[in-house]
Amino acid sequence: MSILSLDDLRAIRNREEKELKKRDIHGRSVHVVVGMGTSGISAGAKVVLNTLADEIEAAGLDKVILTQTGSLAPVAEPVVEVFSKEAGLVVYGDVSKADAVRIVKEHLVAGKILEDKRVEVKED
Amino acid sequence: MGFKNYILVCGGTGCESSRADQIYRSLIEEAKNQGVAEQVQVIKTGCFGFCEQGPIVKILPEDSFYVQVKPEDAKELISEHVVKGREVTRLLYNKEERKPYEEVEDIQFYKKQLRIVLRNCGSIDPENINEYIAADGYKALEKVLFEMTPENVIDELKVAGLRGRGGAGFPTWMKWNFTKQAEGDVKYVVCNADEGDPGAYMDRSTLEGDPHSVLEAMTICGYAIGAHQGFIYIRAEYPLAIHRLEVAMAQAREYGLLGKNILGSGFDYDIEIRLGAGAFVCGEETALLQSIEGKRGMPLPRPPFPASKGLWGKPTVINNVETWANIPVIITKGGEWFSQIGTQDSHGTKVFALTGKICNSGLVEVPMGTTLREIVYDIGGGIAKGKNFKAVQTGGPSGGVITEENLDTPIDFGGLQRIGSMMGSGGMIVMDNDDCIVDVAKFYLNFTVDESCGKCAPCRIGGKSLMNILEKITDGKGTPEDIDQIEKIALAMRKGSLCALGQTAPNPVLSSLKYFPEEYKSHIEDKSCPSGKCKKLIKYEIDTAKCIGCTACSRKCPVGAISGEVKKPHKIDQAVCIKCGVCKSTCKFSAIDIK
């Protein structure tokens, strides 16, 4: 007679939990920011952003916040910043789609900074 | 799937009345117009608590906390934040001090808070059962129905040490246990959502923001005590809360979480709503039950307590909204976890509606044992307009004032009682030096006199007599004997009244008398009101040295009591003046004094 069985309820929870978790930013310690100014987008930042989003989700990294911002460093676009409390700010330049995959796999998952893509930013 | 922003719009009564619903619709509309509908999800949530700054819109994952948003801002929020990824700085809370990667929890208002009851308020869509389920909703019900016996459930509450949040602080497990053990073929579960204290809106916000938590808890109780029917008694003045409850109940029924054979466990349970007409006395449990039965809401003598003879004479558990909202978390996380929060005699948290002369008014939830100073100064941001703190009224019309000297008292059931106030349901009204303590006492007493059901003489006659004395005092006709008289009447009311309404009605008068005797004295002996509130004891006068004769006050005076030539000092005719204070607020030269 009951419409939902225990398994149905658990299935709904599993499905919806994933969606709700994306909104729970509490305790997330790693921020990935993509420069999405006009020049960034024309250099391919949109592809990078979407690739990062897909890869982060696929890797199940629920401690990572992905956000976009305006122009970051117009010399080496697309630019991706990775900020964590441990390593501070790391800025990557000329990021391609393949690099975006590497950022997730090497930096975010394995914790190894991609020295070849790193660019120095001067603080004002 | 690509990048996604989540826009959370506050859908509590406070923000809705400042057009939050229109903001919500405009955001959806704008997202469509600007071609980013796929990239954003706009969600209407329950109360964020920071009502002072409403309407509130929070955008994730950046955790941008936008305040005092208007529907016209929707376009910019979408085009700047969502499309271009730039925060709309002008709408950010505390924009000067916001640091990169700062979380909303770091805002001073939220720092000392611990949200258990309000865990889902401001984060899920209360009208979508799936979101509640995703946030561990109905997990407790699962556990109870399939892994626990009714005795286990009650034991868990005993370990947790949960005490009723409606005011009296009676141990919840005992109430449930008495009802479980009471003899009766039919038993009932009742949710008291008849929140009536002036300035209190904890229960309303909980129901608006997280209605399923109450439904789940009531179902758990039904299982524990052997009841199959629950009632939610809620006042008709809470249309939004009622609507959200109705939506939630319909969704729960559709999912089979209410109704017959819940989740295939064989347990049947359903809930109905009963609307109250807004009588304060119906918050008293026996009066509330009378009202559900369709009778006039008047208290009955106790015993018998509802646990043995309640609704239609059947054993009944009756708990307040906030108590209910605690229960699912206690079951999922365990009583042991809950008992670690708070103080020795009061476990868990308490939600307060912080209002009055405070910078950050709103809904706050803190662990028991937090001091009033932390609530008023750290969370509340101190007294508004740079004025001085005078007192806090807790417990509404049944409580009392707390002064500077007791600000460091840890708040729990025992602590507040020791300093002459009470926990009450959680109203917390802050007063500054502009508030006259006699006038405030009169306000609360007036409320209880109005709301007295009139059944018993001590409350009906005692309240009115106390009121007469207070009026005499604020009219400047008080005598020193009046103070003795107040104490005598108060004692009679306390001892002789049938229910808590009458028993506690003198509390605001007694506690203000205890902490501010000199203020009563100046009303009675000097015939003066130090705060300038009591109209019969003050007069407005123009300082001829400061008045430049601009005529602004005489033009504004509604009774034409101010006369004088242009560019010459004016004069107030005391016989005509009605002491409305318009002249004082109009004068740009501070030339009008209260004497």
Side-chain angles (χ1 to χ4, degrees):
Chain A
M1 266 203 298
S2 79
I3 305 165
L4 256 186
S5 71
L6 194 53
D7 292 337
D8 295 339
L9 178 66
R10 286 177 178 164
I12 292 175
R13 186 175 298 122
N14 283 337
R15 186 186 74 215
E16 299 286 330
E17 220 166 34
K18 267 176 116 182
E19 199 52 35
L20 198 65
K21 267 215 178 112
K22 289 184 197 156
R23 280 195 244 151
D24 179 17
I25 52 150
H26 185 71
R28 292 205 203 168
S29 44
V30 183
H31 296 252
V32 180
V33 186
V34 184
M36 293 278 282
T38 304
S39 52
I41 292 171
S42 61
K46 186 126 200 171
V47 180
V48 171
L49 180 72
N50 285 337
T51 309
L52 285 170
D54 293 342
E55 290 294 320
I56 288 170
E57 195 180 347
L61 298 172
D62 53 9
K63 289 269 181 282
V64 176
I65 300 179
L66 177 66
T67 60
Q68 51 173 338
T69 185
S71 205
L72 275 172
V75 282
E77 290 191 296
V79 174
V80 174
E81 287 184 352
V82 180
F83 176 90
S84 64
K85 283 191 178 127
E86 303 77 42
L89 184 66
V90 177
V91 185
Y92 295 118
D94 290 317
V95 179
S96 66
K97 188 175 170 163
D99 295 331
V101 177
R102 279 184 61 207
I103 289 174
V104 176
K105 294 216 165 109
E106 293 174 30
H107 188 153
L108 301 183
V109 178
K112 212 179 89 219
I113 293 169
L114 287 67
E115 293 298 342
D116 58 314
K117 297 306 291 182
R118 210 169 163 175
V119 289
E120 283 307 313
V121 212
K122 281 190 200 107
E123 292 282 335
D124 298 330
Chain B
M1 203 211 75
F3 179 77
K4 202 163 186 180
N5 275 119
Y6 299 89
I7 308 183
L8 307 178
V9 183
C10 176
T13 290
C15 286
E16 288 255 302
S17 62
S18 318
R19 302 194 292 168
D21 185 55
Q22 212 181 325
I23 297 171
Y24 169 75
R25 282 182 280 120
S26 304
L27 284 167
I28 294 176
E29 176 92 19
E30 276 302 325
K32 221 177 277 166
N33 291 346
Q34 301 186 28
V36 289
E38 296 295 310
Q39 279 176 47
V40 287
Q41 191 183 346
V42 188
I43 302 138
K44 203 199 267 184
T45 70
C47 182
F48 281 90
F50 205 178
C51 309
E52 179 79 34
Q53 296 286 342
I56 288 167
V57 173
K58 188 158 103 166
I59 303 190
L60 300 175
E62 290 86 350
D63 215 12
S64 308
F65 200 67
Y66 293 117
V67 294
Q68 296 180 11
V69 180
K70 295 187 186 68
E72 304 84 85
D73 298 326
K75 194 171 180 180
E76 193 179 343
L77 283 173
I78 297 290
S79 69
E80 281 297 302
H81 193 126
V82 178
V83 177
K84 296 181 192 154
R86 292 193 293 230
E87 285 188 320
V88 182
T89 321
R90 71 179 176 89
L91 292 173
L92 281 176
Y93 174 69
N94 213 0
K95 42 191 166 283
E96 296 80 20
E97 286 165 35
R98 180 171 160 91
K99 298 176 200 79
Y101 314 116
E102 186 185 46
E103 290 180 17
V104 169
E105 273 84 1
D106 291 333
I107 294 175
Q108 198 65 27
F109 179 75
Y110 289 107
K111 249 183 191 168
K112 291 204 166 168
Q113 295 201 43
L114 175 66
R115 297 182 127 213
I116 294 177
V117 171
L118 302 173
R119 61 194 177 277
N120 289 327
C121 284
S123 64
I124 67 165
D125 176 358
E127 298 194 24
N128 183 349
I129 188 171
N130 287 343
E131 296 209 347
Y132 179 71
I133 292 174
D136 284 347
Y138 291 106
K139 221 178 194 170
L141 184 64
E142 252 182 69
K143 192 170 166 188
V144 164
L145 291 180
F146 296 97
E147 294 167 27
M148 295 170 88
T149 63
E151 290 76 16
N152 289 156
V153 177
I154 291 173
D155 280 345
E156 201 67 59
L157 290 184
K158 190 177 174 181
V159 172
L162 176 67
R163 295 173 64 176
R165 298 295 195 251
F170 192 77
T172 306
W173 75 271
M174 267 167 113
K175 226 182 222 185
W176 289 25
N177 205 34
F178 287 144
T179 316
K180 181 180 160 48
Q181 287 169 352
E183 290 204 13
D185 45 346
V186 178
K187 291 175 185 175
Y188 293 109
V189 176
V190 173
C191 168
N192 183 349
D194 190 67
E195 183 177 49
D197 289 14
Y201 57 101
M202 302 74 56
D203 296 347
R204 189 192 74 207
S205 296
T206 307
L207 289 171
E208 284 171 3
D210 198 15
H212 283 286
S213 66
V214 173
L215 302 184
E216 185 180 3
M218 289 176 71
T219 313
I220 291 170
C221 177
Y223 173 78
I225 66 159
H228 300 283
Q229 179 69 50
F231 290 95
I232 299 175
Y233 186 84
I234 181 167
R235 41 182 53 215
E237 291 110 315
Y238 282 0
L240 188 62
I242 295 166
H243 168 74
R244 300 245 163 98
L245 271 175
E246 281 169 345
V247 171
M249 281 162 56
Q251 289 174 346
R253 277 195 202 107
E254 196 188 314
Y255 272 17
L257 292 163
L258 280 179
K260 295 230 175 290
N261 191 16
I262 293 169
L263 294 172
S265 67
F267 176 63
D268 304 339
Y269 188 80
D270 214 333
I271 296 173
E272 282 178 37
I273 295 179
R274 288 287 183 275
L275 299 188
F280 181 64
V281 74
C282 287
E284 197 282 333
E285 56 183 19
T286 54
L288 185 150
L289 296 177
Q290 292 275 300
S291 180
I292 292 184
E293 290 178 15
K295 297 174 191 146
R296 186 170 160 187
M298 292 205 284
L300 299 172
R302 293 181 308 177
F305 287 93
S308 54
K309 262 184 103 185
L311 199 54
W312 290 293
K314 306 290 182 191
T316 304
V317 160
I318 171 162
N319 281 134
N320 147 282
V321 172
E322 195 182 327
T323 314
W324 289 119
N326 271 299
I327 289 167
V329 204
I330 291 176
I331 300 291
T332 39
K333 295 199 177 175
E336 192 58 40
W337 164 81
F338 189 80
S339 70
Q340 303 299 316
I341 304 163
T343 62
Q344 190 108 42
D345 102 312
S346 317
H347 298 164
T349 59
K350 180 76 194 85
V351 185
F352 291 100
L354 189 60
T355 55
K357 310 283 180 62
I358 186 98
C359 286
N360 301 334
S361 67
L363 210 58
V364 305
E365 182 174 355
V366 289
M368 296 275 191
T370 305
T371 65
L372 261 171
R373 190 181 298 280
E374 288 174 287
I375 296 184
V376 172
Y377 288 97
D378 297 344
I379 297 171
I383 309 303
K385 295 177 187 162
K387 302 229 163 136
N388 286 330
F389 173 85
K390 181 168 190 170
V392 184
Q393 173 93 14
T394 65
S398 309
V401 290
I402 297 168
T403 54
E404 180 81 37
E405 59 179 299
N406 286 321
L407 269 185
D408 293 308
T409 309
I411 302 172
D412 61 11
F413 288 105
L416 286 179
Q417 238 160 31
R418 277 190 290 279
I419 55 173
S421 186
M422 66 183 276
M423 181 76 82
S425 58
M428 200 176 259
I429 300 178
V430 181
M431 295 168 239
D432 67 15
N433 272 340
D434 288 350
D435 293 307
C436 165
I437 209 74
V438 188
D439 190 57
V440 170
K442 204 169 82 174
F443 165 79
Y444 283 113
L445 190 67
N446 192 27
F447 179 83
T448 34
V449 167
D450 251 8
E451 295 291 344
S452 169
C453 76
K455 184 172 178 172
C456 70
C459 173
R460 182 181 69 240
I461 302 170
K464 185 69 190 145
S465 319
L466 264 190
M467 192 65 198
N468 289 344
I469 297 178
L470 284 190
E471 267 170 0
K472 220 174 111 191
I473 294 174
T474 54
D475 282 356
K477 293 172 188 155
T479 58
E481 293 76 50
D482 285 337
I483 302 293
D484 300 333
Q485 195 65 14
I486 287 176
E487 277 160 3
K488 268 188 208 153
I489 298 172
L491 187 69
M493 288 178 76
R494 221 175 235 183
K495 288 204 158 171
S497 296
L498 190 55
C499 79
L501 190 149
Q503 289 157 9
T504 61
N507 286 359
V509 187
L510 290 178
S511 87
S512 60
L513 194 56
K514 180 176 169 199
Y515 289 108
F516 297 94
E518 71 292 348
E519 211 167 316
Y520 277 86
K521 210 173 140 196
S522 56
H523 280 79
I524 293 171
E525 289 176 12
D526 313 334
K527 312 289 176 210
S528 86
C529 174
S531 327
K533 268 273 145 74
C534 299
K535 283 187 183 174
K536 298 236 168 118
L537 298 181
I538 55 166
K539 59 180 180 182
Y540 287 88
E541 273 180 7
I542 295 175
D543 184 342
T544 47
K546 284 186 188 163
C547 178
I548 63 150
C550 71
T551 75
C553 59
S554 71
R555 276 180 281 134
K556 279 275 171 74
C557 178
V559 289
I562 304 176
S563 57
E565 283 174 50
V566 182
K567 294 189 180 169
K568 283 185 184 155
H570 283 44
K571 201 173 178 311
I572 300 175
D573 183 347
Q574 298 299 339
V576 183
C577 176
I578 55 164
K579 294 159 191 171
C580 65
V582 165
C583 53
K584 187 170 164 62
S585 52
T586 306
C587 183
K588 289 189 179 127
F589 308 96
S590 316
I592 295 172
D593 300 322
I594 297 176
K595 287 198 171 152

